[in-house]
Every structure is written in C-alpha cells, then in structure tokens.
Amino acid sequence: MPETELPEVVRIARDLIRIDTSNYGGGRANGEREAAEYVGAYLEGLGLEPEYYEPIERRTNVMARIAGRDPSRPALVVHGHLDVVPAVAEDWSVDPFEGVVRDGMLWGRGAVDMKNMNAMILTAVADMLRAGEQPERDLILAFFADEENGGVEGSALVVQHRPDWFAGATEAISEVGGYSISVDGRRAYLLQVGEKALLWLRLVAKGRAGHGSRYHEHNAVTRLAEAVAAIGRTRWPIRLTPTTQALLQGLSDLTGRPMDDPDALASAAGPAEAFLRSTFRTTTNPTALTAGYKHNVIPETAEALIDVRVIPGTEDDVLAELQRIAGDDIEIQTVVRDIGMETPFAGDLVDHMVAALGRHDPGVPVIPYLLGAGTDNKALAAIGITGYGFAPLRLPADLDFTGMFHGVDERVPVESLVFGQRVLADLLRSC
C-alpha cells in the first residue's frame, strides 16, 4: 500500500514500531523516551498540554488531560504502554522494527502488544478534537513505561509519585480486550473485566563446585533441572471464577455445547483456544535458565526464572505448592508479585463499550473474560481505579491474534486498526 494511502492510525502505529523500545526486564531496557516524545508532540499538535514524568533515566511516561462537558462526572483513564518485549530478528520474516505494511497487515514488534492501541487512542482523540467536539467527561490519556517488566519502573512509580495525574478518575480502559474471535464459525467479542495475579519467581539451586569429570552427587544444575522440569510439567486444576463462568456461559450460548468440560468448550474458539484455557487455571512456565561458566566446571549455583499467573486469591497456596514440587533444597525467590482483579460485567462503562461495538458490528455478541496475563490496570487499581481491557479490533477468523502476543511475526490487519479507531472514538464521545 503506497505511503500516501495509509490511514493515519496505521502510520502512527508504524512510526511507534520503528522506535525500538525493547524491554529486557530487571531494569535493562532501551527506554521509552523517544516514543513518549513522539506521543507528546502529537498531543501538542491537537492543542493539548502533555506532561512528562521520568523517574528513572529514559523510562519516560507521558499524560494529557482533556476536559469533558460535565466536570462533575468521574474522569476516565485511557492508557497504553510504550515498551515492547525484545524480538530476535533472525526468527522473523520481516525486520521486527521496520514497521512493514504487507498483505494488508502492519508487521512489527508492538503491532499487537500494544503500539496498535496507542495509535488507536491518539487518532480516536484526534477525530473528536479536530471535529471541535468534547467528551462527556474528562479523559486522562496516559502512556506508561516498563509494562513488560510488571510496570515496576513505569506505572507503579507514576501512581506512587504522580497520583495527581489521575485526580477524579474512577475507571480506566487499556489493552487486551474488545477484539473478536471466531466461535464455531460465529464472530464474538471478548471484553476483559479481570486479570490473573502475577508471580515472577527465581529458583536457586546450590551444590558443590568441582571438576566436570568427577562423580558428583551435589550438582546444582541437576537439582535445578529436576525442579524446573517438574514445575513446567505441572498441570494445574481448573478453578473457575465468576468471570470465567460467565465466559463459559457465553461460549455455551453461542455453540450449544455443554459447560461441563471448560477445555472442550474453549476449543470452539479456534486460534484463541489456548489463550482462553489459560484463564481457567494457574500456569507456571519456565522462561530462563542461568548456570555455569565452563564446560568442565560444575558450578556452585544454578538459577531459573518461572512466570506464574495465578487465579486471584490463590497466590499463597500456589507458592506453597511450588515449594513442595521443587523440593526443600531449592530456594524460591519472589522477583515481582502483583494483584489479580475481577470486576462485574455490568455498569455504565461496560454498557457503553458493548454498545459501541454493536454500532459498528451489529448483532455480534460481547462476552466477558479474565485475562491470563496482566496490564497497567493493576497499578491504577492501587489508587481505586477500576480497569477494563478494550482495544477494539474486528479480526479475520483464521488469524491467531492471541498467539502473537510476545510471538514471532507480530502483525495486525490495517482494516482492523481503522475499525478500532472508529469504535474507540465512538466510545470516547459517548461514555
């Protein structure tokens, strides 16, 4: 598609993808400063007055407030994050930071998570302001650093040190909701009304250092490998919450299938099956291993990282069970721990989100779900703001959209971005 024919929402998402904001975790990141400045300049061009907060060098957050017609109403926070997880270029079929438009899709790291929605937010607001319109209530636009590291150097510090940014706000919308899935050949939208709790853990095994040729019964690598394998192979039981029960009811209503086997019912959702199945249970996935420094030296210590996503309210039970699985000789350290959340699929904002989707895709059902991962809504919850996931996208039935979060060849259809901009602009005008 020629440059001059690209919709504005696509151009902005592409520009943001081309700013490499890779976040490696643990304070190792390229930083979000240039992306924040890009967003700030765009907001200034709309006549807004952005504010910046950089608590750590290059970890930049930006906010702007739009006055609503009714200042007595609580404000709505509309937020995104500017960082992305790293991408190994050799694994991709395109340069992950080139922002290529090909086959009707925008490709690149952040096309799904979540520079797509950042662009939708900006252009939705532009639609409204350029038309001389004003939202019903104050809108607080916030773009955070460090979400891909649990927000510890981003949203967590913003709500701690700049709570004034969110004065008067009671609700928020952000990523990973409002997108379509195909359920037995019928389109439906998932609206995110909760998130699992987060535990990022480090396993530490200690042994005795020695020569690699020796008979050795106290090998830290062996101990760690056994613990990691046991945890990685653990299949946690299904434990439904009010939100996942509502999800199953919605899927059952669409398909006529019974609710007695959640995994089988989730299989009706095609490419989204694995994403939904993860919401029914705790997950414990090993993600990194560190041990040793030479082929013929047995190291004294070995470490592993485990990404644990927990059904809200079961965190302590899961930690105790992980210690039992790993064994008493493995130390389990908590690197990051964050809350889980659930809120009813009801209320004025939910009604407005459902209605906005209905105006642009009439007759298509909207179903609540519990996100298996997490967003910056967790940080906002600490100051009493209820968060939802609503990044509206009408997607092709065969596109494995959920599989591209943190995946290879991340991409989003151009027409889906245009749809999302229109739905989001409609919502911000009306809610």
Side-chain angles (χ1 to χ4, degrees), residues 105-298:
M105 295 193 180
L106 172 64
W107 299 61
R109 180 58 89 212
V112 167
D113 185 13
M114 65 169 291
K115 292 178 175 179
N116 60 340
M117 188 185 179
N118 293 336
M120 288 157 53
I121 293 169
L122 293 173
T123 51
V125 168
D127 285 351
M128 181 171 52
L129 296 182
R130 288 169 182 165
E133 299 170 345
Q134 194 175 11
E136 288 291 330
R137 54 172 161 166
D138 283 13
L139 298 180
I140 300 166
L141 312 179
F143 300 85
F144 295 116
D146 201 45
E147 191 274 346
E148 298 293 0
N149 186 46
V152 295
E153 294 186 350
S155 58
L157 295 179
V158 175
V159 300
Q160 181 180 351
H161 299 138
R162 295 303 308 269
D164 55 296
W165 277 11
F166 310 104
T170 57
E171 295 173 309
I173 57 173
S174 188
E175 59 178 331
V176 205
Y179 58 89
S180 70
I181 60 173
S182 181
V183 182
D184 275 356
R186 294 182 58 190
R187 188 161 61 249
Y189 288 93
L190 295 177
L191 200 157
Q192 190 254 100
V193 297
E195 302 179 6
K196 288 166 74 177
L198 169 66
L199 292 170
W200 281 346
L201 306 178
R202 179 183 293 111
L203 305 189
V204 180
K206 295 186 177 180
R208 189 173 68 247
H211 199 289
S213 67
R214 293 186 59 191
Y215 175 76
H216 201 96
E217 293 183 331
H218 304 288
N219 188 313
V221 175
T222 301
R223 287 178 174 173
L224 180 72
E226 290 170 344
V228 168
I231 289 172
R233 292 186 179 126
T234 296
R235 295 296 174 260
W236 296 81
I238 289 174
R239 187 162 179 169
L240 298 180
T241 73
T243 301
T244 50
Q245 288 173 335
L247 166 69
L248 292 173
Q249 185 64 64
L251 294 176
S252 179
D253 291 344
L254 273 173
T255 63
R257 301 188 189 192
M259 295 174 56
D260 56 352
D261 186 343
D263 286 336
L265 188 50
S267 69
E273 174 186 359
F275 202 71
L276 295 183
R277 288 180 63 190
S278 70
T279 71
F280 303 150
R281 50 174 59 79
T282 288
T283 58
T284 50
N285 285 310
T287 54
L289 297 167
T290 304
Y293 50 91
K294 195 173 187 299
H295 207 130
N296 62 346
V297 178
I298 298 170

Side-chain angles (χ1 to χ4, degrees), residues 97 108 144 288 332 350:
F97 297 103
F144 295 116
I332 298 181
V350 169

